[in-house]
Amino acid sequence: LLSIQMGRMDVNLMRYLEGEHFRVLVACEMGMKNHEVVPLALLAAIAKIHRGAVSKICGDLCKHSLIALERGIKCDGYRLTVRGYDFLALRALCARGVVGSVGNQIGVGKESDVYVGGDAELNDLVLKFHRLGRTSFRRIKEKRDYHQKRKNASWLYLSRLAAQKEFAFLSALAARNFPVPKAIDVCRHVVVMGLIDGITLCHVDQVEDVPGLYHKLMSLIVKFASHGLIHGDFNEFNLMLLKDDKIMVIDFPQMVSTDHHNAEYYFDRDVECIRTFFRRKFGFDSEEFPSLSDVVRRHNLDSELSASGFTKIMQKDLNKAYDEGDFNAHESDEYEDEDEEEDDEEGDEGSDMETIKEEEEEKDEKDEEELEDEKKVGEKTKKRLETCSRFDAWLEEASKQMEEVVKEEGHEHVDIITHPHQTLPSVEEREYKSDEEETPQLVDENGDEVKEKEEKKEKRERNKKRTNQTVGTRSVMSVGSTIAPEEVKRRVAMELRQNKEKTKLRAKGKQSAVSRGRKSNRDTIGEYAGWDF
């Protein structure tokens, strides 16, 4: 944007702002729809940019007063400023190719600032920035109807509503040949209109035809009322006189309907403002002036534009009055609509049959695929069963061989296969069993007893040697650590060293309220260090 530095509008900074800066500004605007201040986390989520980058961008924007940091008790957040809102509107208008430059400030009011500007081809334009919420005009809810049923609303949002309303009035009035500026475009709180080559009536000192100008203005008030509108602020500050003694009307946000409950008061006030101005400025006083009761209403422009005072009930009554003269037209439209609905139903039935056929074909394809999957699963299960049967056969053969080995050694059968870690019975158990079952009654003679004792000793020695050799594998279980103690000490020392080297992670972005308080206390203590009390 080209700019001429004058007043408070300096847009040179827009040349150095990048897309991410405007992305954060838009995120702040969106967050302020339901937040007084927008936290940093919410800004990052809406803008879809990393939180650290958003924090840095917010710092740059705060430096240039495009947003403001608000520190609260519960949380800290950012607020979009008027300058930031101006930049967003100008960037959007530049992207549309409507505005190419911003120049000097040519007007200041209680609700707006007016600047001269130009398009891409440097044709003259007027940029009207609505500034609701100034200290000189804060009773918006009483004076304007922008709030409607809202209890609270931000000044930026109300300024946007005012701009949209004025743009709608300008477009509708220009289409009906009212002397108003040409409405070009609107974006947020900025209305772009054509530049008028004239001066306001308050700065006019001499007029050739004072009575003619007076009657022009009064007829213009009546023309507004015949269309169902009352200007509401029809005075010398909102009237411009052109070179050809033509009148141009400006400033329309306060227009009301002739059905407003205070419509007569506003109409008489507009008439009295003109009479007072001509009496004071030109010494002209006329007894001819209009009243609202004498005006014949011919159009309903207030209903089209939803002017203040035209309620929904009035809209319904107006629609009934329009429909009283031609009921058959509405009935014929209804019959036509019913015929169209029947045709649509027939078309829908044909489409339903096609969809049913397609679904059946899809089901057949799915059945074939399921059968193929089942065959594959059956083949896999057969292979698994074959491997299991082979393993069972091998187990049977191994168990038979072990039984034969045990029988040859003269021991009882032990199910070693099923219990691979089980050992043979001890020597004493086998000896007592053999003594009870096989040994005959002892001979009373001493010689035979001695021989039997010696034989038993020999058998015990042989069995001890055999029992030392275990049958099958034994599981070895260890309670102690298998890692060397030196290695354990080294690992513990390494973990302690790493824990010491770790630093606490700090949250990115602005410091919390608690850390700020601690820092301020630390600085206060440092200032008084070394003082003697």
Side-chain angles (χ1 to χ4, degrees), residues 329-373:
H330 296 289
E331 291 176 0
S332 62
D333 293 338
E334 290 176 359
Y335 291 137
E336 289 176 1
D337 294 337
E338 289 177 359
D339 295 336
E340 291 177 358
E341 289 177 357
E342 290 177 358
D343 296 335
D344 294 337
E345 288 176 358
E346 292 176 358
D348 294 337
E349 289 177 358
S351 61
D352 292 337
M353 294 296 292
E354 293 178 358
T355 53
I356 290 167
K357 290 179 181 179
E358 291 177 356
E359 289 177 357
E360 290 177 355
E361 292 176 358
E362 290 178 357
K363 286 181 180 178
D364 295 336
E365 292 177 357
K366 289 181 179 177
D367 293 337
E368 292 177 359
E369 292 177 356
E370 289 177 357
L371 290 172
E372 291 178 359
D373 295 336

Side-chain angles (χ1 to χ4, degrees), residues 59-293:
D60 297 338
L61 296 176
C62 288
K63 190 187 301 180
H64 300 292
S65 301
L66 299 179
I67 61 175
L69 176 61
E70 298 287 342
R71 300 187 184 275
I73 298 173
K74 293 183 179 180
C75 67
D76 298 344
Y78 294 92
R79 173 181 54 82
L80 186 66
T81 61
V82 175
R83 191 185 186 199
Y85 207 48
D86 292 345
F87 274 41
L88 284 175
L90 289 173
R91 179 179 170 82
L93 291 170
C94 288
R96 297 176 191 173
V98 177
V99 177
S101 61
V102 180
N104 297 345
Q105 187 175 5
I106 58 175
V108 180
K110 62 181 183 296
E111 298 181 63
S112 61
D113 291 336
V114 183
Y115 291 84
V116 66
D119 57 8
E121 298 176 357
L122 298 180
N123 296 320
D124 292 333
L125 299 173
V126 172
L127 305 177
K128 185 175 181 180
F129 294 82
H130 285 261
R131 307 281 194 222
L132 270 66
R134 286 176 169 170
T135 54
S136 60
F137 191 68
R138 285 187 175 270
R139 299 173 67 182
I140 299 292
K141 197 166 186 178
E142 297 178 9
K143 305 296 184 182
R144 301 287 183 267
D145 65 340
Y146 307 139
H147 279 80
Q148 294 181 358
K149 295 181 180 180
R150 301 181 188 90
K151 293 183 179 179
N152 299 309
S154 66
W155 295 117
L156 298 179
Y157 180 67
L158 294 177
S159 300
R160 181 174 187 165
L161 293 180
Q164 291 175 351
K165 186 174 182 180
E166 183 171 10
F167 181 78
F169 277 117
L170 285 173
S171 302
L173 293 172
R176 287 163 177 80
N177 298 321
F178 277 87
V180 295
K182 180 184 177 182
I184 298 173
D185 200 354
V186 61
C187 180
R188 291 180 172 88
H189 66 307
V190 180
V191 180
V192 184
M193 59 188 83
L195 182 65
I196 302 169
D197 188 9
I199 56 175
T200 55
L201 200 59
C202 62
H203 293 99
V204 176
D205 296 329
Q206 292 181 356
V207 177
E208 294 180 359
D209 188 7
V210 176
L213 182 61
Y214 175 81
H215 290 295
K216 280 183 181 179
L217 295 177
M218 291 300 175
S219 61
L220 192 55
I221 293 173
V222 173
K223 186 178 180 181
F224 276 117
S226 65
H227 283 74
L229 295 173
I230 300 172
H231 190 278
D233 198 11
F234 199 84
N235 53 40
E236 64 273 17
F237 301 100
N238 293 326
L239 295 170
M240 298 188 71
L241 186 64
L242 307 183
K243 293 180 180 179
D244 302 335
D245 291 339
K246 293 182 179 180
I247 297 295
M248 191 70 67
V249 186
I250 59 175
D251 197 7
F252 300 96
Q254 66 285 333
M255 290 193 87
V256 297
S257 171
T258 52
D259 294 325
H260 197 278
H261 59 279
N262 291 326
E264 189 174 357
Y265 165 76
Y266 290 123
F267 185 88
D268 294 340
R269 189 179 68 176
D270 288 347
V271 172
E272 190 61 29
C273 285
I274 299 301
R275 292 185 67 195
T276 303
F277 171 73
F278 274 82
R279 192 183 305 115
R280 187 183 67 251
K281 192 81 173 178
F282 304 110
F284 178 81
D285 192 4
S286 175
E287 296 180 355
E288 296 180 357
F289 55 89
S291 62
L292 186 60
S293 59

Side-chain angles (χ1 to χ4, degrees), residues 145 227-229 255-261 297 299-319 322:
D145 65 340
H227 283 74
L229 295 173
M255 290 193 87
V256 297
S257 171
T258 52
D259 294 325
H260 197 278
H261 59 279
R297 182 164 180 167
H299 302 281
N300 297 297
L301 193 59
D302 53 350
S303 63
E304 296 178 12
L305 298 172
S306 298
S308 301
F310 196 86
T311 61
K312 292 182 179 179
I313 297 172
M314 296 177 184
Q315 179 70 39
K316 291 179 181 178
D317 296 338
L318 183 64
N319 292 335
Y322 285 154

Side-chain angles (χ1 to χ4, degrees), residues 371-413:
L371 290 172
E372 291 178 359
D373 295 336
E374 289 178 358
K375 288 180 182 179
K376 291 179 181 179
V377 173
E379 291 176 357
K380 290 181 180 179
T381 52
K382 286 180 182 179
K383 290 180 181 179
R384 290 176 183 173
L385 291 172
E386 288 177 358
T387 54
C388 292
S389 60
R390 291 174 185 173
F391 182 73
D392 293 337
W394 178 80
L395 279 176
E396 290 178 0
E397 292 178 2
S399 61
K400 288 179 182 179
Q401 291 177 2
M402 291 300 296
E403 287 176 359
E404 291 176 359
V405 171
V406 173
K407 287 179 180 178
E408 290 176 359
E409 292 181 355
H411 300 296
E412 293 181 351
H413 173 67

